[in-house]
Amino acid sequence: MNRRPRLLATAAAGATAALLLTACGGGDDESKGNDKIAGADTEGSASASPRASASPVEGRPKIELPSDVDITFTPEQSGDATRDAILKDNAEYIRALNAAIVAQNPRLPALEFYTEGEGAAASQDWVQAFKTAGWTVTGTVRYFDRQVDVKSKGRASLSYCGDESKGFSKVIKTGEIKKTKATKNSYIAYGVQVEKNEQGVWELVKIVSTRGAERCQR
């Protein structure tokens, strides 16, 4: 799909056109590294039985994804209570973003719950690009090498890698899956900034990415 900019919020205007040009999962031309956020099948698909996020925290939205979507996170915990809370809310943000793509709803409450400010605007614009293009995604995506740097009591940053080699674009109307072979561009390095709100939720406020990053080639 479209090449993700280094800062999501700056590139939403060109996202829809780029989505229509190419499929996800990495292509042969490394200069055309195509970024996406892993999503799922469309609503109403026969293979898309809902799957909820495990053990939702009280007060947080329940997030459901179709059964053909497999999103994994390594590590899930660090052994430190603050870092564990940040890792969990980051994972829920990613699930909520996927759920918004599935629902074709940029203002999905679960997505708004885990985002704020620039991060919210970027995420909504990204989902809108999928909706405008008439595309979603399906398959398996893993997020690994997840590291947390706590800046202060209410601010932190995360870095992690995404493996999209088994995640693909899907045309909603036809059900066509745009499979491509895996290349180095199937692997993306992410940098995320989060802030803790009054309800104790670590909201995403900014995200950057680098497709084909060497540190993520595994």
Side-chain angles (χ1 to χ4, degrees), residues 106-123:
R107 301 300 300 270
L108 189 74
L111 182 58
E112 293 185 334
F113 187 88
Y114 288 104
T115 59
E116 182 60 46
E118 186 176 318
S123 300

Side-chain angles (χ1 to χ4, degrees), residues 143-183:
Y143 294 92
F144 61 98
D145 194 18
R146 303 171 74 214
Q147 302 178 29
V148 179
D149 181 12
V150 179
K151 304 293 186 182
S152 67
K153 188 175 181 180
R155 295 178 59 251
S157 62
L158 296 88
S159 64
Y160 52 92
C161 296
D163 171 8
E164 298 181 349
S165 61
K166 296 180 181 179
F168 304 103
S169 308
K170 187 171 184 178
V171 180
I172 293 174
K173 285 186 177 180
T174 66
E176 178 187 3
I177 298 176
K178 302 285 189 177
K179 289 191 175 182
T180 57
K181 71 177 184 179
T183 71

Side-chain angles (χ1 to χ4, degrees), residues 3 7 13 32 37 52 67-68 80 110 127 155-156 159 166 185:
R3 181 181 305 167
L7 180 59
K32 296 181 180 178
I37 302 173
S67 59
D68 65 335
D80 174 83
V127 175
R155 295 178 59 251
S159 64
K166 296 180 181 179
N185 287 321

